Amino acid sequence: MKKLTAIFIILALLLAGCRQNQPPEATSPVDQEPTMVYDWAAETSPIPVKRIGTLRAGLNNSTVTAVSPTGVYYLYEIMYLAGETPLSPMILYADNGSDTFIRLCGRPDCTHETEDCNAYVKGGKMLSYYNGYLYVVAEESGDGPGNVKCQLIRINPDGTDRVMVADFEEFAKEQGCDYAKCDMVTDGYVIFQTCKWEENPDKSMSGRAQTTYRYKLDGSMERPENVDAKGMIMYNCGDVILTYHPESENGGKYGSYWDWDPETDSLTYLTDHPGEPGWFGQTEAYYFMDGAVRHLTYATGQEKVVIQTDLQGDYYACCFPDCIVIVSNSVKASSDKNLYIYNWDFKHVATVPFEYSGSMLNGQAILGETVDKILLTKSHVYPVPTHYIDKSELGSENVQLHEFDLTAIEDMIETVKKYYPDAGW
């Protein structure tokens, strides 16, 4: 039986009853991480509970999935299909403890079919929740190839009261460039590039990145500031913004990992890349290699097997605050369609079969992770959360896949089914 902390009980009570299946209140708790304790979980975990406001390790779709204190948001877009495409993209929302996604619009007079719908964000591409607000990066195609308009928009948690915080296209033109393109939103910052159109030998035009900038989501910076730190900013590992550099100070074969501080634009060396991706914190790392989940201690360079499996081939260990989910990282159509779940005592708590319509579970089938769920999608075409694993069932014989109620966007799903009948719906 699961035990709820006081924080989660309070949130659950606030969200229950008459507010069920409604957008969250406009003034939600500010970045208070809800917590939950399960009997199957270990007493301690090396993974910080930091789901809110971060681009997370192992979750490629966290660019459009935003965890909040009260629930989870998802920015769903289907492209123009033969003139029949419903209004898109739309922001969806589901409460913690709920199996229903709704459009983020509580207006009783709204049909959700016109652009004044609170859930609609024209050109919406990236979504994040930070300090009590939703933030959306909206990019719209212009006359030339590529994205031209690029704006940062702040929205109340219930979808109301939109404010344009920054116009990065305008900023790019002030720098002598043609347009801006966003790379990511994480830890209270948006990272973007200014770009120029350049003519190719065949007279076609291509966009070329010029300079990378960072800007605080709350608009408190007078203007964007350069990102001079070298390396590829990747994702958040709870206490680290992981950055990869192809070179290593120690002669490592696969390059090196660093921690990027957005406040100072500085890098702190962590470790040489061990040859497999995974979760890399300030002092230690976890990753899957050669049939096992391994633990690396930076200070000693010691690597230790913590979970030995019979799995052969390419797999990835998704490291979440309360569990480790091992999934196939292979692009082969016959790749393993199971999710192998362990706690942080490295004990097996469930194996969940999942018939994903694509091939690679990692980064595609797993769309998100919250305090009470692992969010999954069946479809590899215009994915939206279709199923979930209820964490309260782990460690028992009752683990099963649950379906989300997507009635609110049935028109969008039916359109995708019509044009992509093999998409796995």
Side-chain angles (χ1 to χ4, degrees), residues 333 335-339 352-358 361 365 376-379 386-387 401 423-425:
S335 64
D336 191 344
K337 299 295 179 69
N338 292 301
L339 291 85
V352 183
F354 186 64
E355 286 299 323
Y356 173 58
S357 63
L361 287 177
L376 306 169
T377 184
K378 279 278 189 179
S379 178
T386 58
H387 294 74
L401 284 172
W425 291 101

Side-chain angles (χ1 to χ4, degrees), residues 197-336:
W197 298 121
E198 293 184 4
E199 187 175 87
N200 300 316
D202 63 359
K203 303 301 182 181
S204 63
M205 300 295 290
S206 295
R208 300 282 190 269
Q210 303 298 307
T211 306
T212 301
Y213 293 88
R214 67 194 191 278
Y215 187 72
K216 286 189 176 180
L217 294 179
D218 60 11
S220 60
M221 296 171 65
E222 290 187 10
R223 57 189 291 107
E225 296 180 356
N226 287 24
V227 174
D228 294 323
K230 305 302 180 185
M232 179 189 300
I233 302 170
M234 299 178 65
Y235 44 70
N236 183 284
C237 287
D239 55 3
V240 160
I241 301 180
L242 194 64
T243 302
Y244 171 74
H245 196 283
E247 298 179 357
S248 169
E249 294 183 346
N250 301 321
K253 180 179 178 181
Y254 303 104
S256 53
Y257 279 138
W258 302 69
D259 176 20
W260 178 62
D261 183 345
E263 292 286 340
T264 61
D265 188 32
S266 60
L267 292 172
T268 301
Y269 173 76
L270 298 174
T271 184
D272 284 358
H273 192 313
E276 291 292 343
W279 181 89
F280 292 80
Q282 288 186 346
T283 62
E284 59 185 342
Y286 291 88
Y287 46 87
F288 189 94
M289 179 187 289
D290 297 331
V293 175
R294 298 167 185 269
H295 172 236
L296 173 66
T297 302
Y298 304 156
T300 63
Q302 180 182 7
E303 183 184 74
K304 177 183 177 182
V305 171
V306 292
I307 302 175
Q308 182 65 59
T309 76
D310 295 326
L311 303 174
Q312 301 298 317
D314 194 8
Y315 284 81
Y316 182 86
C318 297
C319 296
F320 299 133
D322 49 22
C323 63
I324 307 165
V325 183
I326 302 174
V327 289
S328 172
N329 202 28
S330 172
V331 296
K332 296 180 180 179
S334 59
S335 64
D336 191 344

Side-chain angles (χ1 to χ4, degrees), residues 47-115:
I47 311 299
V49 180
K50 190 176 180 182
R51 298 179 174 98
I52 296 174
T54 61
L55 184 69
R56 299 176 63 194
L59 295 175
N60 294 347
N61 282 289
S62 59
T63 55
V64 292
T65 306
V67 174
S68 80
T70 60
V72 61
Y73 297 86
Y74 192 82
L75 182 62
Y76 189 48
E77 179 181 23
I78 60 176
M79 304 301 288
Y80 183 83
L81 298 172
E84 299 179 19
T85 306
L87 193 63
S88 171
M90 302 291 285
I91 301 177
L92 311 179
Y93 174 77
D95 277 335
N96 290 327
S98 170
D99 64 358
T100 302
F101 271 98
I102 62 171
R103 282 181 163 101
L104 190 67
C105 181
R107 291 172 39 215
D109 62 324
C110 186
T111 63
H112 312 304
E113 297 175 351
T114 60
E115 293 191 4

Side-chain angles (χ1 to χ4, degrees), residues 5 7 10 28 58 82 98 143 153 158 163-164 183 206 227 251 266 281 327 331 372 378 401 407 411 415:
T5 65
I7 291 175
I10 293 171
S28 295
S98 170
D143 296 332
I153 301 169
D158 63 354
V163 175
M164 187 181 73
D183 291 334
S206 295
V227 174
S266 60
V327 289
V331 296
D372 61 344
K378 279 278 189 179
L401 284 172
T407 305
D411 56 338
T415 300

Side-chain angles (χ1 to χ4, degrees), residues 2-168:
K2 62 186 179 184
K3 311 179 189 75
L4 300 179
T5 65
I7 291 175
F8 194 78
I9 292 174
I10 293 171
L11 287 172
L13 291 173
L14 288 173
L15 294 168
C18 62
R19 213 191 59 68
Q20 188 176 5
N21 295 332
Q22 293 293 322
E25 300 295 336
T27 53
S28 295
V30 178
D31 290 14
Q32 179 63 62
E33 294 272 5
T35 59
M36 186 177 289
V37 179
Y38 299 100
D39 287 342
W40 56 262
E43 290 187 4
T44 61
S45 165
I47 311 299
V49 180
K50 190 176 180 182
R51 298 179 174 98
I52 296 174
T54 61
L55 184 69
R56 299 176 63 194
L59 295 175
N60 294 347
N61 282 289
S62 59
T63 55
V64 292
T65 306
V67 174
S68 80
T70 60
V72 61
Y73 297 86
Y74 192 82
L75 182 62
Y76 189 48
E77 179 181 23
I78 60 176
M79 304 301 288
Y80 183 83
L81 298 172
E84 299 179 19
T85 306
L87 193 63
S88 171
M90 302 291 285
I91 301 177
L92 311 179
Y93 174 77
D95 277 335
N96 290 327
S98 170
D99 64 358
T100 302
F101 271 98
I102 62 171
R103 282 181 163 101
L104 190 67
C105 181
R107 291 172 39 215
D109 62 324
C110 186
T111 63
H112 312 304
E113 297 175 351
T114 60
E115 293 191 4
D116 63 349
C117 174
N118 285 351
Y120 172 72
V121 182
K122 187 176 182 180
K125 295 297 180 186
M126 295 185 182
L127 182 69
S128 186
Y129 185 97
Y130 179 72
N131 272 359
Y133 292 100
L134 276 177
Y135 288 90
V136 179
V137 171
E139 295 182 344
E140 297 178 51
S141 296
D143 296 332
N147 294 309
V148 177
K149 293 185 179 179
C150 184
Q151 297 177 339
L152 176 64
I153 301 169
R154 187 186 70 210
I155 307 174
N156 282 340
D158 63 354
T160 62
D161 192 21
R162 301 190 178 189
V163 175
M164 187 181 73
V165 179
D167 186 333
F168 298 131

